Amino acid sequence: MLTTPQPSATTAAAPLAEADRPLSVRGLTVAYHHKPVLWDVDYSAPAGGPIAIVGPNGAGKSTFIRAVLGLVPRLSGEVRVFGRPVERQRRAIGYVPQRSSVDWDFPASALDVVAMGLYGRIGWLRPVRNRHREQALAHLDQVGMAEFAGRQIGQLSGGQQQRVFLARALAQDARLYFMDEPFAGVDAATERAIAKVLAELDRQGRTVVCVHHDLQTAPDYFRHVLLLNGRVVAAGPMETTFTVANLQVAYGGLLAAELAATAATA
Amino acid sequence: MTLAEVFDVLLFRAGFNTAVVLAGAAMLGAGAGLIGVFVLLRRRALVSDAISHATLPGVALGFLAAVGLGLDGRNLPILLVGAASTGILGILAVQWIRDRTRLPEDAAIGTVLSVFFGAGIVLLSHIQTLAVGGQAGLDTFLIGQAAAMSRADALLIGGAAALVVLIALAAFKEFALVCFDPDFAGAGGWRVGRIDLVMLALLLAVVVIGLKTVGLILIIALVIVPPVAARFWTERLNRMALAAALFGAASGYLGAAASALLPRLPAGGVIVLVAGALFVVSLLFAPARGVLAGAVRRLRFRMAIARRQGLLAVAGGEAIADPIARLVLRRNGLIDRQDRPTESGRTAAAAARREQRLWRRYRADYPTDAIADREWSLAPIDAVLPADLVAELERRVAAS
């Protein structure tokens, strides 16, 4: 550790009404068995502009998202989405899990998977109808994948699979999106498609909270950043928070030269 | 046994009782195959083995309870309630060990399965020494016995299996969601734990009602083998579910028919053999994912590569090094016996050369698109890329 940085202001200048705040996390602590992964995380996401979660491997970035969504148990902490407990805001939330989290040999077409994003609105025990398939196809088209609708998902490239996951999240029609490394290991066309979707969601006033690995591109795609390393290192607007000093603390002084170069160009 | 007798049984003409037993066994197979699809996709195949073995002590306890109540020890509903009870205990034991210790699930399953089965065997031996009637029928729960089934038993089994099918069809979308991506389901507010519980309950129901027909050792096969066989035929879940239900129904039906014709034949064994035969046929011959279809596809691909390499050699005026390429070109009349290109061979070689140059140009000039669009391997460029782009590439190749 080089210095103890001052955490930047966690909110934009104008204070937000609780109901307008997309995400508000207080005192979040998560552990696997007896090993704590996240300690006392307080974070309040601003409305407007996609948010990157950045930090080294094992910093708890994915765990943060999974704990917010209730996929791993919270030892302590409160999570509110648009002013209400996250459990009561499921329809307002969209999710893009890591691509490696499912078995792609599953007997389903790209369209079948995108239609899963509509299940929440279709409701319990009701079948998927043709109009739902048409909606799903429109979302596939949004990510440039309409021509692959009938393809078995295992026969898609990694980037195409990622775009299928993105289209499924779009089908959820959510106000707040969580994405877990959507840019990891994708081709250039997919990266363009994801960037386009991020911009489109932002334009529609939807908030995206996205785990992002690539420090080089973080300032290009995101307006805000949450720097994590077991705890909140810093959070705030990209320009004032994505600094060499903060990154060095988050990454424990590793890769200092490289980080300096990255931040300098940001 | 004459052929006429065989047809009478198969066509439901060998008496009402046999017809009911056959229909019940077919419905049981359909239910087992359908729920098996989700058991397989949720990776719960081993759990179902634990459940089936854990039912044995329940069968024995059910017998003792029935006798204690002054009923016939072979009263099927009581036996099945007993079986379901210890089956549930078995599941709970596996889950408790998995969640509270660091043992992996397969170790928990192996332990629970053998301990419950051992307890059942001990209880059954004890029952054989009792001075009550009806023990003789109990060992049919191990390997199954369709012919001995009464009409009431068959109706109970068929009706319960039909209920399992209905519930699984109603919750098809929810089951599919949880099997494919439980995290996404959980994030979207679906109660993954409860949906899993319904799946497990249906599995338990199939195992318990299948005890009498198939027997507890082999019921797991009727749950797992039909969906595994069905997977070879299709890449779609609904078609896989349909095929698995049909395979299961055929297995149950044919097995019960064999048991009706040859009462000494164990129905469970025959049912599983039919399912096994369907599996072998699927594994070898299914066009979607079968072994033979895969071999043919690989061979075609290999020959297409060889043809292309051979033609490129011809175009460059070189000798064709690959013996397979020579064979393919000769068979297609593209070269003669002295390996000299024929008229059509020269045309094809020129076309192959053009393809190669255009694709190279494309990959050099549009690297990101070329990587994103990996469909090009052997397809003709005119069929893959738009005509104006091909024309542009032609100009660039000619200019270079």
Side-chain angles (χ1 to χ4, degrees), chain A residues 3 8 35 39-40 49 56 72 81 90 102 145 167 192 207-208 215 227-228 231 239 250 259:
Chain A
T3 54
S8 312
K35 190 173 170 292
W39 272 114
D40 295 331
V72 293
V81 170
R90 293 297 182 184
V102 303
M145 286 284 295
R192 280 198 302 270
T207 303
V208 175
L215 297 177
L227 276 171
L228 272 184
R231 59 194 183 87
E239 310 85 66
L259 292 177

Side-chain angles (χ1 to χ4, degrees), chain A residues 66-117:
Chain A
R66 293 172 58 78
V68 164
L69 292 170
L71 299 176
V72 293
R74 303 189 278 266
L75 286 186
S76 73
E78 186 195 22
V79 178
R80 297 180 86 82
V81 170
F82 296 112
R84 293 166 65 196
V86 60
E87 289 77 17
R88 291 168 55 195
Q89 290 281 35
R90 293 297 182 184
R91 292 283 178 272
I93 295 173
Y95 182 37
V96 179
Q98 281 187 18
R99 182 154 49 87
S100 58
S101 66
V102 303
D103 173 14
W104 290 93
D105 196 40
F106 195 87
S109 67
L111 190 76
D112 293 339
V113 171
V114 176
M116 287 178 182

Side-chain angles (χ1 to χ4, degrees), chain A residues 119-187:
Chain A
Y119 283 9
R121 266 175 294 139
I122 296 172
W124 263 100
L125 306 183
R126 290 163 194 273
V128 181
R129 299 194 185 284
N130 275 333
R131 63 189 153 91
H132 301 125
R133 291 193 192 90
E134 281 159 23
Q135 278 181 49
L137 188 63
H139 291 302
L140 264 179
D141 196 38
Q142 271 181 284
V143 297
M145 286 284 295
E147 59 181 310
F148 297 99
R151 185 79 62 94
Q152 196 267 329
I153 50 175
Q155 289 159 15
L156 300 170
S157 73
Q160 291 170 335
Q161 292 172 344
Q162 190 66 62
R163 280 189 266 167
V164 168
F165 264 10
L166 197 62
R168 181 178 66 171
L170 292 176
Q172 291 182 293
D173 188 24
R175 294 170 66 197
L176 171 62
Y177 281 99
F178 293 95
M179 303 187 183
D180 205 341
E181 302 234 20
F183 287 101
V186 301
D187 54 90

Side-chain angles (χ1 to χ4, degrees), chain B residues 149-215:
Chain B
M149 229 189 306
S150 73
R151 185 183 305 178
D153 290 355
L155 283 174
L156 172 68
I157 288 167
L163 196 63
V164 167
V165 170
L166 284 179
I167 296 174
L169 288 180
F172 198 89
K173 152 173 133 284
E174 285 73 15
F175 287 179
L177 179 68
V178 166
C179 287
F180 175 62
D181 195 344
D183 281 353
F184 179 80
W190 296 92
R191 307 292 179 105
V192 174
R194 285 188 201 173
I195 295 170
D196 267 335
L197 208 62
V198 175
M199 271 194 264
L200 217 50
L202 294 186
L203 172 64
L204 179 73
V206 162
V207 166
V208 166
I209 62 179
L211 287 180
K212 183 79 180 167
T213 323
V214 187

Side-chain angles (χ1 to χ4, degrees), chain B residues 70-137:
Chain B
L71 299 165
D72 180 0
R74 285 169 299 182
N75 184 306
L76 191 60
I78 295 183
L79 292 180
L80 295 191
V81 168
S85 312
T86 53
I88 290 170
L89 276 184
I91 300 174
L92 292 178
V94 168
Q95 289 181 343
W96 191 87
I97 294 174
R98 185 193 60 201
D99 295 343
R100 298 297 156 87
T101 72
R102 287 170 176 254
L103 282 179
E105 190 172 40
D106 57 347
I109 289 169
T111 309
V112 168
L113 178 158
S114 43
V115 169
F116 273 74
F117 193 64
I121 294 287
V122 168
L123 281 171
L124 279 189
S125 309
H126 169 66
I127 287 172
Q128 302 300 332
T129 66
L130 295 180
V132 293
Q135 303 100 321

Side-chain angles (χ1 to χ4, degrees), chain B residues 137-150:
Chain B
L138 276 188
D139 55 356
T140 63
F141 281 90
L142 284 174
I143 57 169
Q145 172 69 288
M149 229 189 306
S150 73

